[in-house]
Amino acid sequence: MKADLLITGISQLVTAKGRGARHGAAMRELEVVEGASLAITGGLIAWTGKSCEWAGHASETVDLEGRAVVPALIDPHTHAVWAGDRLADFDARTSGKSYEEILKAGGGIRSSIRATASATQEELVRLAAPRMARLLRSGATTIEVKSGYGFEPYAEIAMLEAIQVLRASTPARILSTLLIHIPPAHVQDRTSYIADVCNLLIPEVANKKLAVALDIFVEQEAWHVDEAEVMLHCARQHGMAIKLHSEQFQRVGGLELGIHMGALSVDHLEACVPEQFELLAASSTIATILPGVSLHLGIAAAPGRQLIDAGAAVAVGTDLNPGSSPLFSAAAALALAVRLNGLTTEEALMAGTVNAACAVGLIDAGRIEAGLEADFLVLEGRDWRELIYILGANPVREVWIHGEKVEQ
Ligand code: NIG
Ligand code: FE
């Protein structure tokens, strides 16, 4: 075999093998090859195996001198485009007010909506680009970015257009999702906004291919299940995938709606209950948990351990956003999922790679396997578990996308 590049000196080459989301105990089935090499041709993985078994010829060789290699991470849930800040909320919360009280009083998400509405596209991109760079440095080469801080339907389109421009400014692969919050002006008149979303927004977003999925924030202080169903149904009719923010503070039933409608993922789940674990286990919907929110808001952590024990497929995201999760590291999200949600290191890596890929609709990502994109991480250490063990320093030494080392 002829390859463009051979990467040798890999202490441990770690990956899942084979397509599809991993449920339950299968989340621990990683392959670890010691003393490995990895060949790349045309940006794709051409071969992997024990170094002593390489019989081909490579135009160039790189020696990692005994460092571990894992698949690049996928961050399946961010709100990385916003203007303004939420430091006043942070102070209010540290003085005893809850996230929901602040939202109800017109702060929280509504204050980000106001600040984002008054920013130009250029400002939004300038503010979001360094956030992408930080996520990328932390190991995420594929990042889902949601709109959702729109003041009216066309403001969501402007946010999605900003995400498109952002795409050109980073080597990271960005997937965009249309997220619907309730704009401040529509809190009393939700029906007319739903009509605008279904009649104007979704058709235009689908037509211009500005987003691959629709996400609805279902919560007592946000959209209710019957309202979400109307918008999700419309999105599906326009060929979009669907997702939900649900069961964050209360058991609201968005989880059942998502499963019933074939959602790619239901996200948050801090307040979900045992009978819902079984429903997830029996479905193809991914349970995306967001430990940064539990840490930052001090709310209960989603029952990651119990979800996996029940047989669900769990993914982990940063939920990077100014209000509930100012977490700029995909590796740290995995580290927190072990400490707060009870995942093992193997499960956390699976949750941040293969299952995170499925949560954003990608079936051939998150693995190091011949024929797939050569997106992987070179870690600082020789043991891959440091990716998840280390807190407060970056365990990632190099980030590779499409067979090229990202300059950072
Ligand atoms: O995932 N829709 C809710 N979303 C975010 C929070 C957004 C915000 O507080 O600005 C979440 O927690
Ligand atoms: Fe979110």
Side-chain angles (χ1 to χ4, degrees), residues 77-98:
H77 185 139
T78 83
H79 309 250
V81 175
W82 75 82
D85 64 56
R86 297 272 281 281
L87 294 166
D89 286 15
F90 187 41
D91 278 344
R93 280 197 312 95
T94 50
S95 317
K97 283 223 162 45
S98 77

Side-chain angles (χ1 to χ4, degrees), residues 13 15 17 31 33 36-39 45-50 53-54 368-370:
L13 180 63
T15 186
K17 283 278 171 79
E31 179 190 274
V33 179
S37 292
L38 158 62
I45 311 276
W47 178 89
T48 65
K50 287 240 174 230
E53 287 166 9
W54 167 249
I368 300 177
E369 211 176 287

Side-chain angles (χ1 to χ4, degrees), residues 77 79 146 179 245 268 290 319 321 324:
H77 185 139
H79 309 250
K146 300 175 195 292
L179 168 68
H245 278 65
H268 274 291
L290 307 162
D319 197 9
N321 78 75
S324 67

